[in-house]
Amino acid sequence: MDQPLSRLTVLKVVEWGALTKQRCAFSSTIRLFSLTSWTRSDFADLRTLSPAEGLPSSVDVVICGGGVVGASVAYHLAQMGWGPRTILLEQASLGGAPTWNTIGLVGVFKPTLAQVRLCQTSMDMFRDLKELGLPTGWKQCGSLCLARTNDRMTVFRRMKSLSVSWNIDCELVTPIEAQRKCPLIAIDDLKGGLWIPGDGVGDPYTLLNSLLKVAVSKGLRVYENCSVSTVQAKNGRVDKVVTPYGEINCSAFVNTAGFWARELGARSRPPVKIPIHPVEHYHLLTVPMNIDPMMPVVRDLDGYIYFREYEGCIVAGGFEPVAKPAYENGKIPNTQADRSLPEDWDHFSVLLEQLLIRIPSVGDIRPQKLSNLPEAFSPDCKWVVGEAPEVERYYIASGMKTVGISAAGGVGKAIAELITNNKTSYDMYEIDISRFLGLHNNTKFLRERVSEVPDIYDGGTPYRVASTNTFSKPPWFNYVAAEYAACRETIGLSDYSSFTKLELWSKGDEVVKTLQYLCSNDVDVVDGSIIHTGMQNECGGYENDCSLIRLAHNQ
């Protein structure tokens, strides 16, 4: 990817850039870059309320954000009987960004089992809605992941092994078999691929509409054109939500505000850290190419690109190695028109180069549109979900990147369980917001960090080729081996200055009894001993991993 662009790519950047500048003026009734024919009429039979007519003075739950994730939280709360106790506030119209920008890719293979389970719950939600006779736009066309290198095939073989225990149907394919599933692709440089037949695409607007129809029928109230000014806490717990139309007393708040989640968290009292930052994200829509409607979603991970069929056209996007942070002044516009960023064909050329390699026929046609709309990323490229450490009953679901429709069902159910039961049936540890410190929310850090993390995304595969570009013995192996041997056979010195340290003591042996209850290891050891242990919750799950030093019988 560090090599100069090909002459064909340079020519296409110049030619297509000139063409697309003449196209697609923005319309207030249809999305600038649309993968559905969505208009406001799609929500005509969904009863929403105006805040000018008056907001309730008190409810149990306030959800901020009328995208697909917020709708999923509302849907699952309504299914649990909390519909009349919940309201949803949307600052503009339902289905705003980032739902506005998604192209609807739905895949279950994620980096970890926890995320896989959440996405599988989303699939179950699609089926539940279908049984109710409600549309979701779901099309099970499968997905095809391509490998250009032997190391990538190693990744796919490991994914195939994991798929057995993760209950995912998939199979390894040869380059020729991959081309049979998608005749458009060139295969000269491929080593093989991974076919996942259960994947597909959905329509986030159709899904959003169906989720809210169910929730409203069960008592949910939806208010459009009502922003949240701040969330106030009392005694460390959510107490009220302040809007331009008045205050709402509540016992739980859910921040699904998309790009604005961090800004809203900063306005809360006390402030809540939500370390996300938007980056520019591109989608290219071609003219019709007479493509099979059931063409699979294709992910060329070594080329950083993905593409799918839409009404006979190709829609392509990707995660370039160096992303461009969006809205670097920190202010995210409220209107859809202002959120649209200028086309940058020079920046997109990195992805276009790879697209022309994978689908040479794209070079013979014209584009309809290159869209440049932002996606929010966290510093580690994982979702940001859970209860805020700063305020009890303040819940966040943000940083979904381009997979909001895949994650919505599971994340919505998990948040609803936390609200109603104070615990969830999902393992949320790796995506819990508590993994971040205050320093991760630094604006300068986020702006610089998010230029790197989209490349880490790597298509959602559970393994990423290291910077050494090998799964074999890396050049630094001997240094690590020497360090390990020194610690194992002699003495190693670890710097724990960044760790949190607590001193616990009691008059009697109460401190020992308490720690014996919390910890999985035996802490009743001789003075001067060090114990490494985990601490469990009431369900037996890990809450933390720590080291204890017994200084005295009661300390």
Side-chain angles (χ1 to χ4, degrees):
M1 297 298 294
D2 295 330
Q3 297 178 355
L5 297 175
S6 69
R7 184 171 182 273
L8 174 60
T9 302
V10 174
L11 290 174
K12 288 301 175 185
V13 165
V14 175
E15 175 191 351
W16 288 2
L19 282 171
T20 54
K21 286 179 181 178
Q22 304 170 16
R23 297 174 182 263
C24 297
F26 182 83
S27 166
S28 61
T29 59
I30 191 165
R31 287 177 289 168
L32 176 64
F33 178 68
S34 177
L35 293 188
T36 69
S37 56
W38 172 83
T39 65
R40 285 298 306 160
S41 62
D42 290 307
F43 292 98
D45 57 346
L46 178 64
R47 184 174 180 270
T48 62
L49 304 172
S50 170
E53 299 173 0
L55 295 170
S57 60
S58 178
V59 293
D60 283 308
V61 183
V62 175
I63 302 170
C64 176
V68 70
V69 177
S72 176
V73 176
Y75 166 83
H76 284 98
L77 284 172
Q79 294 289 72
M80 297 174 184
W82 281 53
R85 305 164 65 178
T86 305
I87 65 171
L88 186 149
L89 306 180
E90 164 55 42
Q91 69 170 349
S93 299
L94 293 171
T99 297
W100 184 57
N101 184 34
T102 185
I103 66 170
L105 305 187
V106 180
V108 295
F109 235 132
K110 301 301 175 191
T112 63
L113 178 59
Q115 294 178 56
V116 167
R117 293 289 181 254
L118 291 168
C119 291
Q120 287 173 332
T121 299
S122 296
M123 295 287 202
D124 293 338
M125 184 179 71
F126 293 158
R127 286 188 283 269
D128 292 342
L129 291 171
K130 183 179 180 180
E131 291 177 0
L132 294 173
L134 294 171
T136 60
W138 169 246
K139 179 173 70 172
Q140 188 173 326
C141 56
S143 69
L144 180 64
C145 300
L146 304 178
R148 301 189 189 189
T149 65
N150 291 326
D151 277 333
R152 182 65 64 184
M153 283 306 298
T154 299
V155 170
F156 290 167
R157 284 191 286 272
R158 294 183 180 185
M159 291 173 68
K160 173 60 180 174
S161 298
L162 283 171
S163 70
V164 178
S165 60
W166 288 8
N167 194 29
I168 299 174
D169 183 19
C170 67
E171 62 179 284
L172 296 169
V173 295
T174 65
I176 292 177
E177 290 170 334
Q179 192 175 52
R180 287 177 186 151
K181 295 186 181 297
C182 184
L184 285 176
I185 64 172
I187 61 173
D188 294 345
D189 61 339
L190 295 183
K191 302 295 183 181
L194 185 72
W195 167 244
I196 310 173
D199 287 354
V201 296
D203 183 342
Y205 279 91
T206 304
L207 176 61
L208 170 66
N209 195 11
S210 294
L211 289 171
L212 290 181
K213 278 184 179 179
V214 174
V216 169
S217 71
K218 294 179 179 291
L220 173 75
R221 286 162 287 176
V222 179
Y223 294 85
E224 293 185 288
N225 301 304
C226 183
S227 61
V228 172
S229 302
T230 186
V231 179
Q232 296 181 0
K234 184 177 181 180
N235 298 324
R237 294 171 63 93
V238 167
D239 181 56
K240 67 177 63 175
V241 171
V242 180
T243 78
Y245 297 92
E247 298 180 352
I248 307 169
N249 294 314
C250 62
S251 59
F253 177 77
V254 186
N255 185 339
T256 59
F259 307 139
W260 299 272
R262 179 173 181 262
E263 183 181 342
L264 177 56
R267 294 201 306 265
S268 300
R269 293 294 176 266
V272 171
K273 66 177 186 301
I274 305 175
I276 59 171
H277 195 291
V279 299
E280 296 186 7
H281 191 63
Y282 296 85
H283 289 133
L284 176 70
L285 177 67
T286 71
V287 296
M289 299 174 61
N290 193 28
I291 301 170
D292 181 356
M294 292 304 292
M295 185 193 94
V297 174
V298 178
R299 295 179 173 90
D300 186 349
L301 305 177
D302 297 307
Y304 307 104
I305 58 172
Y306 58 82
F307 50 90
R308 59 160 289 196
E309 180 275 343
Y310 173 70
E311 293 189 353
C313 307
I314 287 288
V315 182
F319 297 93
E320 62 273 31
V322 181
K324 285 179 62 178
Y327 313 126
E328 295 197 51
N329 61 2
K331 297 295 183 181
I332 302 175
N334 289 330
T335 67
Q336 290 182 347
D338 292 338
R339 279 198 300 271
S340 301
L341 299 168
E343 295 176 351
D344 187 343
W345 280 95
D346 289 336
H347 190 76
F348 182 71
S349 63
V350 176
L351 301 177
L352 178 59
E353 172 93 352
Q354 302 305 311
L355 182 63
L356 292 172
I357 291 172
R358 191 55 52 223
I359 314 179
S361 58
V362 168
D364 300 326
I365 53 92
R366 290 186 173 188
Q368 286 196 54
K369 179 65 184 175
L370 177 67
S371 76
N372 179 7
L373 292 163
E375 290 282 355
F377 285 80
S378 68
D380 61 1
C381 205
K382 296 178 182 178
W383 309 338
V384 183
V385 183
E387 185 179 26
E390 299 89 348
V391 181
E392 291 184 38
R393 307 286 287 171
Y394 188 121
Y395 301 96
I396 298 109
S398 186
M400 303 298 170
K401 308 183 290 291
T402 60
V403 296
I405 189 172
S406 289
V411 169
K413 184 177 180 180
I415 293 293
E417 289 178 343
L418 288 172
I419 292 171
T420 57
N421 300 320
N422 291 319
K423 59 184 178 182
T424 176
S425 55
Y426 298 92
D427 179 5
M428 305 290 286
Y429 179 77
E430 66 193 24
I431 59 174
D432 195 285
I433 189 172
S434 62
R435 71 187 185 273
F436 292 117
L437 303 175
L439 59 88
H440 293 120
N441 202 35
N442 177 275
T443 301
K444 183 176 184 295
F445 164 76
L446 284 173
R447 188 165 54 242
E448 295 177 356
R449 176 59 177 159
V450 295
S451 67
E452 305 169 339
V453 292
D455 182 33
I456 297 175
Y457 175 62
D458 204 22
T461 55
Y463 297 95
R464 179 173 183 254
V465 179
S467 58
T468 51
N469 292 318
T470 180
F471 281 108
S472 303
K473 184 177 179 180
W476 40 259
F477 180 88
N478 291 335
Y479 297 106
V480 176
E483 290 177 2
Y484 173 81
C487 294
R488 182 72 178 85
E489 298 170 8
T490 56
I491 295 176
L493 180 64
S494 298
D495 182 3
Y496 277 24
S497 58
S498 64
F499 283 45
T500 299
K501 303 170 189 66
L502 301 173
E503 184 176 357
L504 306 176
W505 61 274
S506 61
K507 290 184 177 180
D509 61 355
E510 295 87 354
V511 66
V512 177
K513 291 180 179 179
T514 300
L515 289 173
Q516 286 284 55
Y517 175 74
L518 292 173
C519 299
S520 51
N521 206 346
D522 182 9
V523 304
D524 192 7
V525 294
V526 298
D527 295 354
S529 299
I530 300 176
I531 311 105
H532 187 75
T533 182
M535 288 189 178
Q536 278 67 50
N537 54 36
E538 62 272 20
C539 298
Y542 263 68
E543 287 293 323
N544 66 45
D545 181 70
C546 62
S547 294
L548 304 178
I549 304 174
R550 187 163 191 179
L551 302 176
H553 75 282
N554 63 342
Q555 184 179 14

